[in-house]
Amino acid sequence: MLNSPPGFEPGFVLPAEIAGNALAFVWHEDKILVRDEEVPVLPRVSDAMQLGVDGARHYLGQLDGLDCVAVRVAPDTPEPAGWQWRGLRSLFLRVPDAVLAVAGRAFQVVEWDRSHQYCGRCGARTRDRTSERAKECPVCGFVVFPRVSPAMMVLVTRGRELLLARANRFPQAMYSALAGFVEPGESIEDCIHREVREEVGIASDISRASRGRFRIR
């Protein structure tokens, strides 16, 4: 899961009543519902109700005192008039960082819920635990928590030069520092060497520079 942004207090127990001004992070597959303005607007719970948008709800906690709820709608849910389903990357630098962080958390929660409706060990239907955010199998007792996937991102430098990469799936003119997931039994340092070699074909000699960055020699 993502680290908690400033002003966010995590929670998992859905209150008996949710105020209409609570933030609703509504997910349709891998797209989030927003009203596209100069600064994109996420719906409130009252907006979602008026739009007839509903689905499985998950309580996330409070952001600056406002309740936050993640909602996963059915795949055939149409796009409401005046609103859009948008990829989360398209909101980078356009919404506050804290809201973006909670949106990322919301996506992880709804995806975990969607993909663990049934036990991966025996196939029985799972149920939510009341004491923590977890899925429990009532037949074999198998428990599944939201997945944590260790990853690294590294900025490779040479003097005043930066090495950036671009994937075919990136929007036009978008470049990124190198990043990747850590494989089982692999250290962060080993992951850096492997990802740099795999992504840009450079056999790297990476050492720690001042202020925690990395450079390539």
Side-chain angles (χ1 to χ4, degrees):
M1 300 297 290
L2 296 177
N3 291 331
S4 297
F8 182 68
E9 183 64 33
F12 70 92
V13 178
L14 189 67
E17 293 186 12
I18 293 287
N21 67 342
L23 287 172
F25 297 84
V26 182
W27 287 93
H28 175 267
E29 304 272 324
D30 61 347
K31 302 291 192 297
I32 191 169
L33 186 66
V34 298
R35 189 168 63 235
D36 195 13
E37 300 180 359
E38 184 175 351
V39 176
V41 175
L42 272 72
R44 305 286 176 153
V45 166
S46 57
D47 296 324
M49 293 177 64
Q50 291 175 5
L51 294 169
V53 174
D54 201 6
R57 292 188 177 187
H58 304 274
Y59 186 66
L60 303 172
Q62 291 190 335
L63 179 61
D64 296 330
L66 285 177
D67 286 326
C68 298
V69 180
V71 181
R72 176 174 57 86
V73 300
D76 59 353
T77 302
E79 188 174 80
W83 297 77
Q84 295 180 335
W85 303 118
R86 296 285 299 274
L88 193 58
R89 285 182 182 271
S90 69
L91 303 183
F92 285 11
L93 304 178
R94 299 191 64 198
V95 300
D97 288 347
V99 174
L100 195 68
V102 178
R105 179 185 292 259
F107 179 67
Q108 291 180 16
V109 169
V110 298
E111 272 298 293
W112 161 78
D113 176 71
R114 181 189 66 83
S115 58
H116 291 89
Q117 293 289 307
Y118 294 89
C119 177
R121 179 182 289 170
C122 73
R125 190 168 184 89
T126 59
R127 63 189 178 194
D128 292 331
R129 273 193 166 184
T130 58
S131 59
E132 56 190 339
R133 197 186 302 279
K135 295 282 188 182
E136 181 178 38
C137 177
V139 177
C140 70
F142 187 56
V143 178
V144 180
F145 297 91
R147 188 178 69 178
V148 177
S149 300
M152 71 83 201
M153 175 170 276
V154 61
L155 183 61
V156 180
T157 67
R158 183 175 62 186
R160 296 176 60 84
E161 296 178 308
L162 307 178
L163 179 62
L164 303 179
R166 184 179 185 278
N168 290 333
R169 67 180 183 277
F170 285 0
Q172 188 175 6
M174 178 179 173
Y175 291 81
S176 172
L178 306 181
F181 290 103
V182 180
E183 295 185 352
E186 186 177 47
S187 69
I188 293 290
E189 290 77 10
D190 289 340
C191 179
I192 290 170
H193 286 278
R194 177 179 56 78
E195 287 290 345
V196 170
R197 183 177 64 254
E198 291 178 355
E199 292 196 12
V200 294
I202 292 177
S204 56
D205 175 15
I206 299 176
S207 61
R208 291 189 180 278
S210 60
R211 293 180 291 180
R213 292 181 298 176
F214 291 83
R215 65 174 180 265
I216 182 168
R217 293 177 179 175

